[in-house]
Amino acid sequence: MNTPYTPSDGIISALKRRLTRFAARKPIDCAQDRFVVSFSFDDFPRSAATTGAKILENYGWRGTYYASAGFENTSNHLGDLFTPQDISALIARGHEIGCHTENHIDCAINAPVVIEREIRRNQKYLRTLGAPACPASFAFPYGEVSPRAKDLLGQHYANLRGVRAGINRRYADAHQLNAVPIEGTLEDRDTALSFVDGLKSGPGWLIFYTHDVRDTPSQWGCTPELLNAVCAAVKEAGCDVQTVGDAFSSLTEVKQAA
Ligand SMILES: [Zn+2]
Protein backbone atom coordinates (compact mmCIF):
# COMPACT_ATOMS: atom_id res chain seq x y z
CA MET A 1 0.00 0.00 0.00
CA ASN A 2 1.55 3.30 -1.05
CA THR A 3 1.49 6.18 1.39
CA PRO A 4 -0.40 9.08 -0.16
CA TYR A 5 1.65 12.25 -0.74
CA THR A 6 0.63 15.18 1.44
CA PRO A 7 1.21 18.71 0.16
CA SER A 8 2.90 21.10 2.57
CA ASP A 9 0.67 22.75 5.13
CA GLY A 10 1.12 25.48 7.73
CA ILE A 11 0.43 29.20 7.73
CA ILE A 12 2.71 30.15 4.82
CA SER A 13 1.22 27.50 2.54
CA ALA A 14 -2.29 28.49 3.56
CA LEU A 15 -1.53 32.14 2.77
CA LYS A 16 0.03 31.26 -0.57
CA ARG A 17 -3.02 29.19 -1.47
CA ARG A 18 -5.25 32.09 -0.59
CA LEU A 19 -3.27 34.59 -2.68
CA THR A 20 -3.03 32.19 -5.60
CA ARG A 21 -6.81 32.21 -5.91
CA PHE A 22 -6.58 35.87 -6.90
CA ALA A 23 -3.60 35.55 -9.25
CA ALA A 24 -3.28 34.49 -12.90
CA ARG A 25 -7.04 34.35 -13.30
CA LYS A 26 -9.00 33.64 -16.46
CA PRO A 27 -12.43 35.10 -15.79
CA ILE A 28 -15.45 33.07 -16.84
CA ASP A 29 -19.06 33.98 -16.22
CA CYS A 30 -20.80 30.75 -15.19
CA ALA A 31 -24.07 32.44 -14.18
CA GLN A 32 -25.84 32.41 -17.54
CA ASP A 33 -29.38 31.34 -16.79
CA ARG A 34 -28.38 27.69 -16.72
CA PHE A 35 -27.82 25.26 -13.89
CA VAL A 36 -24.90 23.13 -15.03
CA VAL A 37 -23.38 20.12 -13.26
CA SER A 38 -20.28 18.10 -14.18
CA PHE A 39 -19.06 14.87 -12.61
CA SER A 40 -15.34 14.13 -12.62
CA PHE A 41 -12.99 11.41 -11.42
CA ASP A 42 -9.34 12.00 -10.63
CA ASP A 43 -6.25 9.81 -11.23
CA PHE A 44 -8.36 7.49 -11.93
CA PRO A 45 -9.31 4.13 -10.39
CA ARG A 46 -10.83 1.32 -12.45
CA SER A 47 -13.92 1.44 -10.25
CA ALA A 48 -14.57 4.99 -11.52
CA ALA A 49 -14.34 3.76 -15.12
CA THR A 50 -16.67 0.83 -14.50
CA THR A 51 -19.05 1.37 -11.57
CA GLY A 52 -18.85 5.18 -11.71
CA ALA A 53 -19.38 5.39 -15.47
CA LYS A 54 -22.29 2.95 -15.32
CA ILE A 55 -24.09 5.10 -12.75
CA LEU A 56 -23.69 8.25 -14.88
CA GLU A 57 -24.70 6.41 -18.04
CA ASN A 58 -27.89 5.18 -16.36
CA TYR A 59 -28.91 8.83 -16.30
CA GLY A 60 -27.76 9.35 -19.88
CA TRP A 61 -24.77 11.40 -18.70
CA ARG A 62 -21.03 11.34 -19.29
CA GLY A 63 -18.16 12.25 -16.99
CA THR A 64 -14.66 13.69 -17.12
CA TYR A 65 -11.76 11.44 -16.18
CA TYR A 66 -8.47 13.14 -15.27
CA ALA A 67 -5.76 10.59 -16.02
CA SER A 68 -2.12 10.42 -14.96
CA ALA A 69 -0.32 8.01 -17.31
CA GLY A 70 2.02 6.90 -14.54
CA PHE A 71 -0.91 5.25 -12.75
CA GLU A 72 -1.65 2.88 -15.63
CA ASN A 73 -1.99 -0.73 -14.42
CA THR A 74 -0.95 0.13 -10.86
CA SER A 75 -2.69 -0.18 -7.50
CA ASN A 76 -2.65 2.15 -4.54
CA HIS A 77 -4.90 3.33 -1.71
CA LEU A 78 -7.61 3.98 -4.33
CA GLY A 79 -7.60 0.33 -5.45
CA ASP A 80 -6.66 -0.75 -8.98
CA LEU A 81 -5.99 2.19 -11.28
CA PHE A 82 -7.07 2.34 -14.93
CA THR A 83 -5.90 0.16 -17.78
CA PRO A 84 -5.36 1.47 -21.34
CA GLN A 85 -8.53 -0.38 -22.34
CA ASP A 86 -10.50 1.57 -19.73
CA ILE A 87 -9.46 4.86 -21.33
CA SER A 88 -10.30 3.73 -24.87
CA ALA A 89 -13.64 2.32 -23.71
CA LEU A 90 -14.57 5.55 -21.91
CA ILE A 91 -13.71 7.62 -24.99
CA ALA A 92 -15.76 5.28 -27.21
CA ARG A 93 -18.77 5.83 -24.95
CA GLY A 94 -18.46 9.62 -25.06
CA HIS A 95 -16.72 10.38 -21.76
CA GLU A 96 -14.04 13.05 -21.62
CA ILE A 97 -10.43 12.31 -20.74
CA GLY A 98 -8.65 15.21 -19.08
CA CYS A 99 -5.00 15.64 -18.16
CA HIS A 100 -3.63 15.30 -14.60
CA THR A 101 0.18 15.31 -15.31
CA GLU A 102 2.08 12.13 -16.09
CA ASN A 103 3.24 11.36 -12.56
CA HIS A 104 0.65 13.19 -10.49
CA ILE A 105 3.06 15.94 -9.48
CA ASP A 106 2.46 18.87 -7.16
CA CYS A 107 2.34 21.77 -9.65
CA ALA A 108 2.87 24.36 -6.91
CA ILE A 109 6.44 23.23 -6.23
CA ASN A 110 7.69 21.91 -9.56
CA ALA A 111 9.63 23.96 -12.13
CA PRO A 112 7.88 24.98 -15.37
CA VAL A 113 10.20 22.75 -17.38
CA VAL A 114 9.11 19.75 -15.30
CA ILE A 115 5.41 20.60 -15.64
CA GLU A 116 5.84 21.05 -19.42
CA ARG A 117 7.49 17.64 -19.72
CA GLU A 118 4.83 16.01 -17.55
CA ILE A 119 1.91 17.29 -19.60
CA ARG A 120 3.60 16.68 -22.95
CA ARG A 121 4.23 13.04 -22.07
CA ASN A 122 0.81 12.56 -20.55
CA GLN A 123 -0.92 13.98 -23.62
CA LYS A 124 1.18 11.82 -25.91
CA TYR A 125 0.15 8.76 -23.92
CA LEU A 126 -3.54 9.69 -23.94
CA ARG A 127 -3.40 10.41 -27.68
CA THR A 128 -2.25 6.85 -28.41
CA LEU A 129 -5.47 5.65 -26.72
CA GLY A 130 -7.76 7.86 -28.77
CA ALA A 131 -7.90 11.09 -26.76
CA PRO A 132 -7.86 14.38 -28.67
CA ALA A 133 -4.43 15.81 -29.49
CA CYS A 134 -5.12 18.76 -27.21
CA PRO A 135 -7.35 17.90 -24.25
CA ALA A 136 -9.48 20.82 -23.09
CA SER A 137 -9.45 20.00 -19.40
CA PHE A 138 -6.78 19.72 -16.72
CA ALA A 139 -7.07 19.10 -12.99
CA PHE A 140 -4.30 20.07 -10.55
CA PRO A 141 -3.04 16.98 -8.65
CA TYR A 142 -3.80 17.47 -4.93
CA GLY A 143 -5.47 20.72 -6.00
CA GLU A 144 -2.04 22.34 -5.53
CA VAL A 145 -1.70 25.53 -7.55
CA SER A 146 0.67 28.47 -7.99
CA PRO A 147 0.20 31.61 -10.10
CA ARG A 148 3.04 30.42 -12.34
CA ALA A 149 1.46 26.99 -12.81
CA LYS A 150 -1.93 28.56 -13.58
CA ASP A 151 -0.33 30.75 -16.25
CA LEU A 152 1.67 27.93 -17.76
CA LEU A 153 -1.08 25.31 -17.80
CA GLY A 154 -3.60 27.88 -19.01
CA GLN A 155 -1.56 28.11 -22.20
CA HIS A 156 -2.16 24.39 -22.84
CA TYR A 157 -5.71 23.78 -21.60
CA ALA A 158 -8.99 25.66 -21.94
CA ASN A 159 -9.91 25.02 -18.32
CA LEU A 160 -8.07 24.09 -15.10
CA ARG A 161 -9.85 22.55 -12.13
CA GLY A 162 -8.87 22.84 -8.49
CA VAL A 163 -10.39 21.35 -5.35
CA ARG A 164 -11.74 24.40 -3.58
CA ALA A 165 -15.35 23.58 -2.70
CA GLY A 166 -17.84 25.97 -4.22
CA ILE A 167 -20.16 26.67 -7.14
CA ASN A 168 -18.67 28.54 -10.08
CA ARG A 169 -20.75 31.63 -10.67
CA ARG A 170 -20.40 35.05 -12.27
CA TYR A 171 -16.80 35.75 -11.28
CA ALA A 172 -15.37 32.26 -11.67
CA ASP A 173 -11.78 31.47 -12.62
CA ALA A 174 -11.27 29.06 -15.53
CA HIS A 175 -7.67 28.68 -14.31
CA GLN A 176 -8.83 27.34 -10.95
CA LEU A 177 -12.40 26.12 -11.16
CA ASN A 178 -14.09 25.26 -7.89
CA ALA A 179 -15.06 21.65 -7.37
CA VAL A 180 -16.94 19.78 -4.67
CA PRO A 181 -15.90 16.33 -3.42
CA ILE A 182 -18.23 13.36 -3.30
CA GLU A 183 -16.72 11.33 -0.49
CA GLY A 184 -17.86 8.60 1.87
CA THR A 185 -21.07 6.63 2.15
CA LEU A 186 -24.75 7.48 1.89
CA GLU A 187 -24.52 8.82 5.45
CA ASP A 188 -22.17 11.55 4.19
CA ARG A 189 -24.55 12.73 1.47
CA ASP A 190 -25.46 16.05 3.13
CA THR A 191 -22.25 17.80 2.02
CA ALA A 192 -22.66 17.04 -1.69
CA LEU A 193 -26.43 17.51 -1.63
CA SER A 194 -26.11 20.90 0.06
CA PHE A 195 -24.26 22.12 -3.04
CA VAL A 196 -27.03 20.81 -5.32
CA ASP A 197 -29.44 22.80 -3.16
CA GLY A 198 -27.09 25.78 -3.32
CA LEU A 199 -27.03 25.65 -7.12
CA LYS A 200 -30.82 25.95 -7.20
CA SER A 201 -30.54 29.42 -5.67
CA GLY A 202 -29.08 30.84 -8.88
CA PRO A 203 -27.48 29.89 -12.20
CA GLY A 204 -23.97 28.48 -12.05
CA TRP A 205 -21.70 25.54 -12.70
CA LEU A 206 -21.23 22.87 -10.06
CA ILE A 207 -18.36 20.45 -10.67
CA PHE A 208 -18.18 17.33 -8.55
CA TYR A 209 -15.11 15.14 -8.21
CA THR A 210 -14.30 11.86 -6.57
CA HIS A 211 -11.85 8.99 -6.97
CA ASP A 212 -12.76 5.33 -6.37
CA VAL A 213 -16.39 4.20 -6.43
CA ARG A 214 -16.52 1.10 -4.25
CA ASP A 215 -18.57 -0.46 -1.47
CA THR A 216 -15.61 0.18 0.83
CA PRO A 217 -14.12 3.36 -0.63
CA SER A 218 -10.88 5.13 0.30
CA GLN A 219 -11.21 8.42 2.17
CA TRP A 220 -11.11 10.17 -1.24
CA GLY A 221 -13.74 7.96 -2.85
CA CYS A 222 -17.41 7.17 -2.42
CA THR A 223 -19.81 4.27 -2.46
CA PRO A 224 -21.96 3.59 -5.53
CA GLU A 225 -24.99 4.44 -3.37
CA LEU A 226 -23.66 7.90 -2.56
CA LEU A 227 -22.78 8.70 -6.18
CA ASN A 228 -26.23 7.51 -7.23
CA ALA A 229 -27.92 9.63 -4.55
CA VAL A 230 -26.08 12.73 -5.79
CA CYS A 231 -27.07 11.92 -9.39
CA ALA A 232 -30.70 11.47 -8.32
CA ALA A 233 -30.67 14.88 -6.61
CA VAL A 234 -29.13 16.53 -9.68
CA LYS A 235 -31.76 14.94 -11.91
CA GLU A 236 -34.52 15.96 -9.54
CA ALA A 237 -33.21 19.54 -9.63
CA GLY A 238 -33.40 19.49 -13.44
CA CYS A 239 -29.77 20.53 -14.00
CA ASP A 240 -27.92 20.23 -17.33
CA VAL A 241 -25.21 17.61 -16.92
CA GLN A 242 -22.21 17.94 -19.19
CA THR A 243 -18.57 16.90 -19.14
CA VAL A 244 -16.23 19.61 -17.86
CA GLY A 245 -14.98 20.29 -21.40
CA ASP A 246 -18.48 20.53 -22.89
CA ALA A 247 -19.75 22.69 -20.05
CA PHE A 248 -16.80 25.04 -20.46
CA SER A 249 -17.41 25.26 -24.23
CA SER A 250 -21.12 25.92 -23.83
CA LEU A 251 -20.55 28.59 -21.17
CA THR A 252 -17.95 30.41 -23.23
CA GLU A 253 -20.01 30.13 -26.45
CA VAL A 254 -23.08 31.68 -24.83
CA LYS A 255 -20.89 34.48 -23.58
CA GLN A 256 -19.48 35.16 -27.04
CA ALA A 257 -22.94 35.12 -28.62
CA ALA A 258 -24.34 37.52 -26.03
ZN1 LIG B 1 -5.24 13.30 -8.43
Side-chain angles (χ1 to χ4, degrees):
M1 181 78 73
N2 299 337
T3 310
Y5 167 84
T6 314
S8 62
D9 55 9
I11 288 174
I12 300 294
S13 298
L15 186 64
K16 275 189 185 164
R17 282 186 191 101
R18 196 170 170 77
L19 293 173
T20 297
R21 294 212 317 265
F22 303 103
R25 292 172 54 84
K26 177 181 174 183
I28 174 174
D29 176 6
C30 299
Q32 300 183 26
D33 303 326
R34 287 205 306 143
F35 301 82
V36 185
V37 175
S38 300
F39 290 93
S40 62
F41 303 89
D42 291 5
D43 296 353
F44 56 85
R46 293 211 72 194
S47 58
T50 54
T51 310
K54 211 170 288 170
I55 291 170
L56 294 187
E57 288 169 13
N58 281 342
Y59 288 86
W61 301 336
R62 298 295 181 268
T64 296
Y65 290 77
Y66 294 100
S68 285
F71 283 143
E72 178 198 283
N73 288 323
T74 62
S75 296
N76 64 14
H77 50 281
L78 305 174
D80 291 340
L81 282 300
F82 68 86
T83 66
Q85 293 77 14
D86 290 329
I87 292 193
S88 299
L90 286 169
I91 293 171
R93 299 208 303 279
H95 295 274
E96 178 187 23
I97 305 296
C99 184
H100 202 42
T101 73
E102 183 186 36
N103 293 297
H104 204 263
I105 61 164
D106 181 336
C107 291
I109 59 168
N110 275 280
V113 63
V114 175
I115 297 175
E116 290 266 12
R117 187 182 66 220
E118 283 274 328
I119 60 174
R120 189 171 60 243
R121 289 177 18 175
N122 202 49
Q123 282 184 204
K124 190 174 171 193
Y125 166 81
L126 295 175
R127 203 156 54 230
T128 62
L129 299 172
C134 297
S137 307
F138 176 92
F140 291 100
Y142 317 102
E144 287 298 303
V145 173
S146 71
R148 191 168 65 174
K150 286 171 73 171
D151 262 338
L152 172 66
L153 290 159
Q155 291 167 31
H156 293 274
Y157 304 97
N159 71 82
L160 313 175
R161 203 215 72 207
V163 296
R164 184 166 181 268
I167 297 168
N168 300 286
R169 288 220 149 99
R170 187 161 314 281
Y171 303 104
D173 179 8
H175 280 174
Q176 193 173 0
L177 290 164
N178 291 335
V180 173
I182 301 176
E183 289 169 353
T185 68
L186 206 50
E187 289 174 8
D188 305 301
R189 64 184 177 272
D190 288 355
T191 307
L193 295 189
S194 70
F195 282 93
V196 179
D197 275 342
L199 181 59
K200 291 185 212 163
S201 70
W205 181 18
L206 170 57
I207 304 173
F208 282 117
Y209 73 94
T210 190
H211 291 81
D212 47 316
V213 184
R214 297 183 288 175
D215 291 336
T216 312
S218 71
Q219 82 179 88
W220 296 276
C222 68
T223 59
E225 291 73 24
L226 176 58
L227 179 58
N228 193 57
V230 177
C231 288
V234 167
K235 174 142 182 101
E236 169 78 24
C239 304
D240 288 346
V241 177
Q242 295 182 290
T243 63
V244 173
D246 285 349
F248 177 83
S249 295
S250 66
L251 287 166
T252 45
E253 273 162 21
V254 172
K255 195 177 168 74
Q256 277 159 9

